[in-house]
Amino acid sequence: MCGVISGLIPGIHSNTMAGIMAGLSPVLFPVIGAEGLVAALISMLIGHSFLDLIPSTFFGIPDSGTALSTLPAHALTLEGKGEEAVRLSALGCIYGIIIGVPVAILAYVLLTPIQSYIDWVCGPLLILIMGMVIIQEGSVLWALLIFASSGLLGLFAFRFQYLVWNLNGESAVLMPLLTGLFGLSVLIVSSHTQVPRQRYANLGLETKSILYASLSGTIAGLLVGWLPGLSTASATAVINARIKYDTNRRTYLVAAGAAACANVVVGLAAFYGIERTRNGVMVMISSLDPPSFPVLLLIVIIASGAAYLITLSMSSCAKWFSGLDGKMVNTLVAGFVILLCGVICGPFGLFILVCATGIGLIPGFLNLSRVPCMGVVTLPVILYSLGLWGF
């Protein structure tokens, strides 16, 4: 239920809910114990990964892991296919768990002994991926400039992240960055006509395409879940190197959902295998007495099944938005995002939001994709991996 709440409220990260649960630990400990609290935290993280699909699809508000996938999901909503977008993403999530569990076990067994050789791969790998992304754009020069601009903004924001009101856990500075680049900038230029009638007929993808997308997303989730310094936002850039979010929207949504959940599962394997924490939830778990790795995987499977069913049942809310004034909806959502950013991140967060929104508008004017904007995350990670910069 905590994952449902944090997932449905835009701007509230799973780390935020983990902090609340940490504050309630004196009350929870006598009731469920340390292992029970760990189970609750993992279930919350899984629930958030599923339910976060709702606001990113219908309102175009990205979370730290849904930046690029927000664009095709919101575009399908404007075509009257919002429920289909949610179902595709949720299907990718559940396939990410199904494929990700055995992949995580293999990673735990095979990668742990050679971790020292793996660490140095992160930087060169991201350089290769982003180089491929930039070369495939219509204008290589403009794509490179957008990548560099967003990357410099990311470096600046991370360097002075202590100025952000840290009410959203470790993701505090990511909120204005990704919301400006992939949320507010899209709302400003999106359609102001009435929201079309929302109808659901089918998923619009063959089983073969779903399996291919799920496997691709799981591989991307493995990369970002195990390699140091990467996040789900990096996974979406990896996926886009093979599956374009603007031309293969449905396939991309499945792959992005699979990457998000596979990242969580592989992150657990990294926690047990090489003692690395991938997010605030894992940091809190490391201070407790967690159960064994197989038990946590069983908890992940059970929580995923429940979250999948809840997400499907809530996807039918798409029909509530039929006929709404698009301009009014966009204005209300934009105002809410700005207000939320101000409350959670403070004046510095609002400044970052304005800068990120300005950069996020450029690709639309030049008819380019927004993938180069992922430089906001990938450039700092590349420099960090090469030992040229520290967070």
Side-chain angles (χ1 to χ4, degrees):
M1 293 308 301
C2 287
V4 170
I5 293 170
S6 66
L8 291 179
I9 301 177
I12 303 301
H13 195 267
S14 55
N15 291 342
T16 311
M17 192 59 70
I20 295 174
M21 294 174 72
L24 295 175
S25 58
V27 178
L28 296 174
F29 256 89
V31 180
I32 60 178
E35 291 189 346
L37 184 56
V38 171
L41 286 166
I42 293 297
S43 300
M44 181 271 297
L45 185 59
I46 292 292
H48 179 93
S49 299
F50 276 84
L51 272 300
D52 182 56
L53 303 172
I54 303 293
S56 64
T57 297
F58 296 123
F59 303 119
I61 303 175
D63 188 61
S64 60
T66 62
L68 286 182
S69 58
T70 294
L71 303 176
H74 193 52
L76 285 173
T77 300
L78 296 178
E79 294 177 5
K81 300 175 181 177
E83 182 174 352
E84 179 185 344
V86 174
R87 286 176 174 268
L88 284 168
S89 299
L91 190 62
C93 286
I94 201 67
Y95 269 112
I97 297 296
I98 294 172
I99 304 174
V101 167
V103 167
I105 295 173
L106 286 175
Y108 176 77
V109 174
L110 300 178
L111 298 184
T112 300
I114 59 172
Q115 185 59 36
S116 59
Y117 299 99
I118 294 176
D119 286 343
W120 68 270
V121 173
C122 181
L125 180 63
L126 269 182
I127 292 174
L128 175 63
I129 292 171
M130 292 311 301
M132 292 171 57
V133 167
I134 291 171
I135 291 174
Q136 292 172 4
E137 292 293 334
S139 173
V140 175
L141 178 60
W142 274 110
L144 184 60
L145 289 174
I146 293 170
F147 173 81
S149 299
S150 60
L152 289 173
L153 178 61
L155 290 171
F156 173 79
F158 287 120
R159 172 64 180 81
F160 296 100
Q161 60 182 328
Y162 59 85
L163 296 176
V164 174
W165 294 352
N166 196 16
L167 301 181
N168 204 26
E170 295 179 348
S171 66
V173 75
L174 281 174
M175 180 188 176
L177 283 172
L178 296 180
T179 298
L181 289 168
F182 301 98
L184 199 55
S185 59
V186 176
L187 291 174
I188 291 174
V189 298
S190 63
S191 173
H192 288 171
T193 59
Q194 280 192 339
V195 177
R197 181 182 177 185
Q198 299 293 307
R199 299 178 179 180
Y200 173 70
N202 53 60
L203 293 178
L205 271 184
E206 297 179 352
T207 303
K208 181 179 179 181
S209 298
I210 292 174
L211 292 175
Y212 166 75
S214 300
L215 183 59
S216 300
T218 302
I219 294 173
L222 169 64
L223 291 175
V224 302
W226 196 273
L227 291 174
L230 302 184
S231 64
T232 308
S234 305
T236 57
V238 173
I239 294 169
N240 196 79
R242 291 188 57 85
I243 304 173
K244 300 300 178 184
Y245 77 85
D246 50 353
T247 56
N248 297 312
R249 292 181 297 189
R250 291 171 174 81
T251 307
Y252 185 88
L253 286 175
V254 175
C261 284
N263 179 35
V264 173
V265 182
V266 175
L268 286 175
F271 171 69
Y272 276 90
I274 56 178
E275 298 182 349
R276 284 184 177 168
T277 53
R278 309 295 300 178
N279 50 56
V281 175
M282 298 308 300
V283 171
M284 183 176 174
I285 289 176
S286 66
S287 65
L288 301 171
D289 184 20
S292 64
F293 183 45
V295 172
L296 275 192
L297 289 181
L298 179 61
I299 293 168
V300 166
I301 293 171
I302 296 172
S304 299
Y308 179 66
L309 295 177
I310 294 172
T311 304
L312 290 188
S313 66
M314 298 198 68
S315 66
S316 60
C317 70
K319 60 179 178 289
W320 300 348
F321 303 101
S322 300
L324 290 178
D325 186 334
K327 182 177 182 180
M328 179 191 69
V329 172
N330 289 344
T331 301
L332 289 175
V333 172
F336 174 75
V337 167
I338 295 171
L339 177 63
L340 190 67
C341 187
V343 171
I344 292 179
C345 302
F348 184 73
L350 289 175
F351 172 73
I352 294 296
L353 179 66
V354 171
C355 296
T357 302
I359 296 175
L361 289 171
I362 297 175
F365 295 147
L366 299 174
N367 198 27
L368 299 175
S369 76
R370 282 186 165 79
V371 182
C373 291
M374 289 307 299
V376 72
V377 175
T378 53
L379 183 59
V381 171
I382 288 172
L383 296 180
Y384 173 78
S385 300
L386 298 177
L388 300 177
W389 185 74
F391 286 95

